[in-house]
Amino acid sequence: MTKILLVEDHMVVRNGIKLLLESQDSFKVVGEASNGKEALDYLDSNRDLLPDIVLTDISMEEMDGIALLQELHQHHKDIKVVILSMLNQINYVIEAFEYGLRGYLLKNVGYNELLFALNHIAAGGRYMSEEISMLLLEQIRSGQRYAQHAMGIQTDFEISERELEVLGLIAEGYTNIEIADKIFLSKRTVEGHRQNLIDKAGVKNTAHLVKFAFENGILN
């Protein structure tokens, strides 16, 4: 049986999810919290009954879902975290998965999909709801089309949204360490993005990369 801690500040929503989960033989709701701080307090006070999954909203007072995820990623890596939220901004999705998130679903998801996702995650998988997956795919495609048009180069040139973000911060003068801290990546990953951008642009160094980006309309 999969043990779940519910973290949701709207009691009606929380009760509805609890009723759904407890109607299934495979789930047991072992605790409830209205924000991230209460969730951490529960974990500290119930070390003999830790959940397998924390199902949490993002927008909550005192400590939101992203902050809770970061704490769990640091101190409770064995607990799987699933976000169930109204927020469909891709930046939240990307940031959350970088902190070990196992699933991201929107609150308009159907009951069957929610149950399937939780069972899949409990078995070791990851899951994004269909709407989030399509938004992410479209954003990636849009970023690639923009970069190809702006740079006026062959259509097989590809630049990711993350590379564009790193490029903008490079142009603002941030160091690799500062960029890593700002967008929650490792220094080595940022260095890799920087070198990939230099290679793709066919330039010799960072200064030429920034010049190239402005001259070709990638940055303005």
Side-chain angles (χ1 to χ4, degrees):
M1 180 176 290
T2 301
K3 302 185 293 294
I4 295 180
L5 172 62
L6 289 179
V7 189
E8 165 64 56
D9 58 347
H10 290 92
M11 185 174 294
V12 172
V13 175
R14 192 167 73 234
N15 287 342
I17 297 171
K18 181 179 180 181
L19 287 172
L20 171 67
L21 295 178
E22 292 192 335
S23 70
Q24 308 294 308
D25 293 336
S26 56
F27 297 117
K28 177 178 178 61
V29 176
V30 296
E32 301 176 49
S34 61
N35 57 60
K37 184 179 181 301
E38 288 184 8
L40 294 178
D41 289 342
Y42 170 88
L43 297 178
D44 288 339
S45 302
N46 296 272
R47 294 186 178 275
D48 57 337
L49 191 61
L50 292 177
D52 303 301
I53 293 176
V54 170
L55 180 60
T56 181
D57 195 359
I58 290 181
S59 300
M60 299 177 293
E61 295 184 0
E62 290 198 58
M63 178 183 286
D64 64 24
I66 298 297
L68 172 60
L69 171 64
Q70 293 171 353
E71 286 290 324
L72 294 177
H73 181 64
Q74 184 172 359
H75 300 294
H76 294 278
K77 289 183 179 293
D78 54 329
I79 297 178
K80 302 175 178 69
V81 182
V82 180
I83 285 177
L84 180 63
S85 173
M86 292 294 294
L87 300 176
N88 64 355
Q89 288 92 332
I90 295 301
N91 61 304
Y92 283 117
V93 180
I94 294 172
E95 179 181 2
F97 275 100
E98 287 174 352
Y99 279 102
L101 186 73
R102 303 305 293 268
Y104 198 114
L105 298 100
L106 298 181
K107 284 186 175 177
N108 61 5
V109 70
Y111 287 160
N112 288 337
E113 186 177 358
L114 174 60
L115 294 173
F116 172 84
L118 291 174
N119 278 308
H120 180 67
I121 290 163
R126 295 177 183 271
Y127 192 87
M128 285 192 297
S129 61
E130 181 180 355
E131 183 176 337
I132 290 293
S133 299
M134 295 308 297
L135 285 171
L136 183 59
L137 176 61
E138 181 56 34
Q139 187 151 339
I140 292 171
R141 293 176 61 191
S142 296
Q144 291 174 353
R145 288 196 299 266
Y146 171 77
Q148 292 163 6
H149 174 75
M151 300 179 77
I153 58 179
Q154 67 272 21
T155 57
D156 59 353
F157 184 96
E158 295 182 357
I159 183 169
S160 69
E161 179 191 1
R162 182 61 92 186
E163 287 173 334
L164 285 171
E165 185 177 15
V166 170
L167 179 58
L169 293 171
I170 290 172
E172 292 178 24
Y174 289 100
T175 66
N176 287 340
I177 293 177
E178 290 170 337
I179 294 172
D181 289 341
K182 195 173 185 66
I183 59 176
F184 309 107
L185 294 177
S186 69
K187 178 176 176 286
R188 179 172 295 182
T189 299
V190 173
E191 290 171 348
H193 284 315
R194 184 188 292 260
Q195 188 58 51
N196 286 340
L197 288 164
I198 289 173
D199 293 343
K200 289 179 179 182
V203 296
K204 295 182 178 180
N205 53 43
T206 299
H208 287 151
L209 172 65
V210 173
K211 180 181 178 183
F212 178 89
F214 280 108
E215 286 179 347
N216 288 274
I218 303 170
L219 300 175
N220 49 49

